[in-house]
Amino acid sequence: MSASTSDKHAGEDSRLALDTDLGWAIRMVSSAFRRVATDSVADLPGGARAYLVLMALAEGEPPSQLALAKAVSLDRTVMTYLLDDLQAHNLVTRRPDPRDRRARQVLLTDTGRTRLAQVREKLAAAEAKLLIDLGEQDAQQLRTLLARVAHTAQSSAGAPADTDC
């Protein structure tokens, strides 16, 4: 093998390193986050899914159940059972949508808002452990970039997937 061919393969090998592979990085971060986050959301009925629902409800205008299911990428049937459970624990409430009486709006209760704040505090500590090697600016940039990729993935995925966060 000539020197130029050897150099060409060395360049390809550096691009093929495992630690530069997006799939590997996403899997490692996802697995680590799931481990540290599971304890933080364990107190919520519905766990990680419930956390995502409460976060989405804390954003502002009460969504319909269908809009909420789309926002957090949950099947609408799964969403109904999850909301039933959250409502039984006084974390959310539902009411007819004034714009469309056939639809139901979902609202975060004061109890739900308090529980969400407690979970957010636990998650912040867990996230800090995971992001310990990043400075605050890098950690914020990572969150921003991941959110952009997540929005792209969500909009290109079509129908909601019934997956854990």
Side-chain angles (χ1 to χ4, degrees), residues 49 51 62 73 79 83 90 97-99 102 115 126 137 153:
R49 290 175 176 166
Y51 168 74
S73 294
M79 178 60 73
L83 291 176
N90 193 34
D97 187 332
R99 295 173 303 244
R102 297 168 295 165
R115 290 284 295 279
Q137 185 176 0

Side-chain angles (χ1 to χ4, degrees), residues 70-108:
K70 287 180 182 178
V72 298
S73 294
L74 281 179
D75 177 81
R76 66 182 184 183
T77 305
V78 172
M79 178 60 73
T80 299
Y81 288 117
L82 179 58
L83 291 176
D84 288 346
D85 207 12
L86 292 173
Q87 190 165 9
H89 285 85
N90 193 34
L91 301 176
V92 303
T93 189
R94 292 178 270 195
R95 68 177 182 207
D97 187 332
R99 295 173 303 244
D100 179 358
R101 304 294 275 169
R102 297 168 295 165
R104 309 276 292 161
Q105 285 182 323
V106 184
L107 296 94
L108 190 59

